[in-house]
Amino acid sequence: KSYLIFCCAMLVLINTISAQNKPDFKVIPLGVLGGIDESNLSAYMVAPLGSNKYICLDAGTLTYGIKKAIANRVFTVDADTVFKRYIKGYCISHAHLDHVAGLIMNSPDDIGPKNIYGLSSCLNILRDNYFTWKSWANFGSEGDKPILNKYRYTPLIPGKETPIDNTDMSVQAFVLSHGNPYESTAFLIKSEESYLLYLGDTGSDSIEKSDKLRLLWQQVAPLIIAKKLKAIMIEVSFANEQPDKQLFGHLTPRLLMNEMEVLSKLTGIAALKGFPVVITHIKPSGHHEAEIIQQLNIGNKFQLKLIIPKQGRLLEF
């Protein structure tokens, strides 16, 4: 009888561990770099595992990245179907061109209505500078007439959970500092009881003279401790040698690890061991990509699971 109870207890433990480790999200990088290749700029399709109802986090590159994913057998349908049918909307962290060019350039071929989620400061730039009849057609829901209403501007209130239409996900936005006072955004995506955190471009609190990242870490630390946060996607644009005055609201490997130090004091160091951190927005000019990866590995005292995404290659978390 004792042996039977022991076996049942072990089975429950194994099933619990298996449930904690199973992936809940799929992430398809359509673009991963921060320049200079216009065919590979920040854009990530995210959906719950088993679903084809995606939100696209930023949209620097779309069609080329979808075709790369098809070539890698991530999708079994054509690019037109993925772009028009699978992508249900967009979360745009900020309106710099390397994060919105794909959305703008591909907009004539998209089908709507689809929502564009973002802070009001970001949506206002899309409305006033891009989707106007002076620079492009107005595919938005406000601004220059005639208004084509292909995309609905959907302002996010920082910290408030908002359902993502036509998906099984919701999103919370958090303000980031990207060259203070310019705002960028972190998106906390939720599916059932699992979360994924994506940060647009951001500087460190120490350089930005800000508390935006510290406030974000305070929000997500309990999710890491509870093993509900599946991964953090965060930028590292420059190598450590980049002068502080030329960071322009970006991170280096040293500054990222400084931020992980802040996070570790909230979660405990053990909670970060093996935790997935996806490095986005590397600026590859010269040999900087290899330098950044080397510096990240050398500075990784927390034993984070550092992931360098590849365009069109599926990630699961």
Side-chain angles (χ1 to χ4, degrees), residues 234-276:
I234 187 169
E235 70 121 288
V236 177
S237 295
F238 296 110
N240 287 334
E241 290 75 17
Q242 188 81 357
D244 289 353
K245 291 183 178 181
Q246 296 178 25
L247 288 173
F248 308 112
H250 291 293
L251 293 175
T252 66
R254 175 181 59 83
L255 292 171
L256 172 63
M257 293 307 165
N258 288 350
E259 292 298 334
M260 293 298 98
E261 179 81 41
V262 176
L263 180 58
S264 74
K265 291 177 180 176
L266 299 168
T267 63
I269 292 176
L272 294 185
K273 184 177 180 180
F275 183 80

Side-chain angles (χ1 to χ4, degrees), residues 47 109 159 203 210:
D109 290 334
S210 168

